[in-house]
Amino acid sequence: VQLVESGGGSVQNGGSLRVSCVVSGNAYGTKRVTWFRQAPGSEREGVASMYPGRDRTYYADSAKGRFTISEEPGKNTVHLQVYNLRPDDTAMYYCAAGSGANSDNWFKISSYDYWGQGTQVTVS
């Protein structure tokens, strides 16, 4: 299983950005996929989660209203669209996949077996 993120970059305050995660192997549709982010000096936090092929999505309180997680099944890809970016959104954004992740523990790092290398988002 491999997860490859893309789409990060430098964005102005108030701008928008979409980061993407391609899920290879048989993980797509069989594991929950979650976006995490980690700012310098901070812990990694789960921001948005979904199980590809199912409708229910989950968001951290800090992400509600500005973040949207979605899938593109034909490309085995999970996107995270972020609107109205702020400087405190600056972080490395990671996607993760895990069989044990569910509605109760989706935000926990320990719920995931596979991680991508991350994509940097910088807001100034």
Side-chain angles (χ1 to χ4, degrees), residues 19 32-39 43-50 57-70 78-82 85-86 88-96 105-109 112 115 119 121:
V19 290
R32 175 171 295 279
V33 178
T34 295
W35 280 97
F36 286 78
R37 66 181 181 180
Q38 187 168 20
E43 294 185 353
R44 194 171 297 191
E45 65 167 340
V47 294
S49 181
M50 71 178 302
T57 56
Y58 298 90
Y59 295 92
D61 288 343
S62 61
K64 290 177 181 176
R66 296 191 302 120
F67 290 59
T68 301
I69 190 169
S70 63
V78 175
H79 302 292
L80 181 69
Q81 177 76 50
V82 187
L85 280 156
R86 309 184 303 225
D88 62 0
D89 292 318
T90 295
M92 186 73 81
Y93 284 71
Y94 300 90
C95 64
N105 64 15
W106 67 266
F107 49 89
K108 295 182 179 180
I109 296 171
Y112 297 89
W115 293 82
T119 187
V121 173

